[in-house]
Amino acid sequence: MRGVETILALVVLATLVATFARRWRIPAPSLLVVAGLAVALLPGTPDIEISPETIGLVVLPPLLYASAEELSWRELKAVWKPVGILSIGLVVASAAAVGWVASQLTPLSWQMALVLGAVLASTDPVAVTALGRRLSLPPKVQVLVQAESLFNDATSLVLFRVAVSVAVASATTGWGPAGGEFVVLAGGGTLMGAAVAAVVALIRRRTEDPVLETVISLVTPYAAYVLAEGAHTSGVTSVVVAGVVLGGRGDRLTNARIRLQLHAVYGTVVFLLESVVFSLIGLALPAQVRALDDGDRAWPLYALAVAATLIAVRLLWLAPLSAVVQRKGGIQRMNWRVPLVLTWAGTRGVVPLAAALSVPETTKAGAALADRPLILVLTTSVVVVTLVVQGFTLAPVVRRSGIALEPDHTEREEAAARCRLADASIRRLDELAELEAVPDVVLDRLRRGLTARLDDARDRLNEDTGGFGSADLVYRQLRRDLIGVEAVELQRLYDDHAISDTTRRRLQRSLDLEEARLADS
């Protein structure tokens, strides 16, 4: 019962903190880590121990899947070359640099230093996606950051397995077997994820039951992960591939009503899991520190050195790569703002923590792996440092870089698209009118609605920048007030027994959808 109470308390704490983070426009992962750390330092707080099964099997698959679904396949194809370079080259360079620094500055043996480097080598897709949702990055930059964090885990996992085998068995592993293992993990995970996506797409095309669709959507990431791990391939890669494939085809698999329900349900699940897991990172650190030996008390300095190494290696790797990409694109003058933003967006999070927790406690000879507690502390503390320092400052860095898209740019792009959609519908109505296949009264009603939408979109495009935002803000505020009036009148009609409960629910749902659209626009 104690475990159930702890989980419920975590859910309540995480939900409250995440709610305030959204209201204050603070990155939720960063604030959740700080809140978890603050609670863990309170007197009487029980020690929190995180099992690798909880992170790797319960939490990670749906969060990875949700991040992958947001990735545009079209944009991904445009940046696959730099993503491939970062996913392999940068991961290897980061692991080597961290391993060398850790072996020189910390009490870790060179074998365990290599394990630490492999654990922290890859950026975290869960943290990157959670931090990047509110940033108005250009599409290619956003996709590059997300895709790198999603696809670099296979390389990191191979390095991790090689490093652990060296540390645990005191044996050496050549580059040939390591390369073969990378092919098996990444290639097998890709094939497994594609196969799961094909089967799920086949099933979803043949069902229109909202409950069944929701269950299938929730089960898909777990199926992709478990099947891939059972086949001794990369479960992380399998989940990512399944998410990318199904995310790009979601509009063709379900209708609008089911998509609304799936979005609401999955949004709730992701919100709760992200909130709990980032809180757990902060909660777990004090207990891990208390398990250290007296000779490891300089761990804060070690953690800062490792975090600085990761940032420095990332910048030194991204700067020349960005210069080559810009030169090929015809840009003669080097722009340092893009590599700076990409460097600062490379946070660590859930995936490194899951890897560190899976480090064995004993060697194959049965001896205790003495450096494991320090590995856990350094991994968790580096995750905390990157989430707090880079997380809280990422938005200002993006704003000062000048590469962020202005809100007016996005609004005008949306207005232009609305014009094109309304024009297409009006042309179709004209064709139907010539065929005399639809009654004139129906055509006139549809044309009036489309014309009103077209005029509104054109007004948005023709307004100057100053009036654009203010007029739209007044309209949305007034319309929300009118929706509130309509909701009160709807409740009065129901209380007076003028309408049934079914009608009340249907009309209230319509008002809710319109209010949600106003809030998102």
Side-chain angles (χ1 to χ4, degrees), residues 28 46 71 122 206 243 314 348 388 426 464:
L71 198 62
S122 62
R206 286 161 172 77
R314 185 170 176 83
R348 270 63 182 174
V388 173
I426 291 175
D464 57 25

Side-chain angles (χ1 to χ4, degrees), residues 479-521:
R479 182 56 193 143
R480 279 198 292 265
D481 292 341
L482 294 177
I483 290 175
V485 172
E486 293 178 20
V488 172
E489 178 63 16
L490 179 62
Q491 185 63 40
R492 188 191 67 78
L493 291 173
Y494 176 72
D495 293 339
D496 292 344
H497 302 281
I499 58 175
S500 65
D501 184 61
T502 300
T503 300
R504 181 189 67 82
R505 290 176 180 272
R506 186 176 300 161
L507 292 177
Q508 185 63 57
R509 171 68 173 169
S510 177
L511 293 175
D512 291 342
L513 288 174
E514 184 176 0
E515 187 172 6
R517 286 194 295 269
L518 289 171
D520 293 336
S521 63

